[in-house]
Amino acid sequence: MPAASPVILILGAGANVGQHVAKSFASKGYKVALTARRAKEAENTADQVNIQSDLTDPTSVINVFSKVKTLLGAPPSVVVYNAGAVTPNDPKNPLSLPLTDFTRDFNINTTSAFVAAQQAVLAFEQLPESASKTFIYTGNITNEIPLAPLLDLGVGKSATAHIIQSAAAAYKDKGFKFYYGDERTADGAAVYRDIDGEAHGKFYLELAEGKVQGPWQQTFVKGVGYKKFPRA
């Protein structure tokens, strides 16, 4: 019997990075699960399912993983956490940010990502040795450089970078890979709003196809791939 198709779960499947990552993995035979607050579950097919999820509620992530296994017949071997949130703050008074905004955005940027990583480990433990077993978090430069009006985004990315670094070291002997993806310009600067979804799709597939854990912080450049830069 032919091997079952592998499954990728993309949490936060927006029109740019999320959709391009889905397209890249689908071209390699993956079944795809996409989550978003406005996901259209009526459009589900045998190979691609849409799951409604509000990542301000970290407990909702557990239900997402359960639905993926039910709908696609297997737990995900690749999990991409692509959700992010920010409430711009007064750069001269960053601590004026309301607690409700800070907490909501931290749930999306970090707490739900933590739960997703927990659930990914449980999923990976159910899979055969040959499976990819890769978790990728879409980050940015704010874990290294504070951007004055983006306090809560930087806090969330920094906290999750720590989670990814810890998991990459702890689980590498099990063959589980954890990565913090961070697109940069050729000189190492932030891409800001010029995020290239297609480049993410190609690069994330390369990370998933890798056999062993590479550097946890995957700074990469469009058309080049991984490139190590001095820490900012």
Side-chain angles (χ1 to χ4, degrees), residues 24-174:
S24 182
F25 278 81
S27 73
K28 291 293 185 175
Y30 277 75
K31 292 185 177 183
V32 178
L34 305 170
T35 75
R37 280 179 294 181
R38 297 179 179 86
K40 297 179 180 179
E41 298 188 6
E43 298 179 0
N44 288 357
T45 68
D47 295 323
Q48 180 168 309
V49 298
N50 305 290
I51 301 172
Q52 286 187 335
S53 178
D54 184 353
L55 297 174
T56 62
D57 175 12
T59 63
S60 70
V61 176
I62 299 171
N63 185 53
V64 167
F65 275 78
S66 178
K67 276 193 171 183
V68 170
K69 188 173 182 179
T70 297
L71 294 171
L72 294 178
S77 60
V78 178
V79 178
V80 173
Y81 193 93
N82 187 58
V86 62
T87 301
N89 55 265
D90 179 352
K92 295 188 179 299
N93 186 17
L95 298 183
S96 64
L97 185 68
L99 177 59
T100 52
D101 294 332
F102 180 90
T103 302
R104 181 194 62 243
D105 293 350
F106 191 80
N107 278 344
I108 295 172
N109 294 324
T110 298
T111 311
S112 286
F114 173 74
V115 178
Q118 282 186 321
Q119 292 297 306
V121 167
L122 295 175
F124 296 165
E125 289 173 342
Q126 301 174 48
L127 295 169
E129 187 175 346
S130 60
S132 175
K133 303 174 187 176
T134 305
F135 183 96
I136 305 170
Y137 177 84
T138 301
N140 57 35
I141 204 170
T142 56
N143 69 309
E144 294 186 4
I145 299 177
L147 299 180
L150 307 178
L151 175 74
D152 72 355
L153 181 67
V155 169
K157 296 296 185 182
S158 297
T160 309
H162 185 93
I163 293 169
I164 297 298
Q165 183 178 13
S166 299
Y171 294 101
K172 65 179 180 180
D173 291 341
K174 284 191 168 187

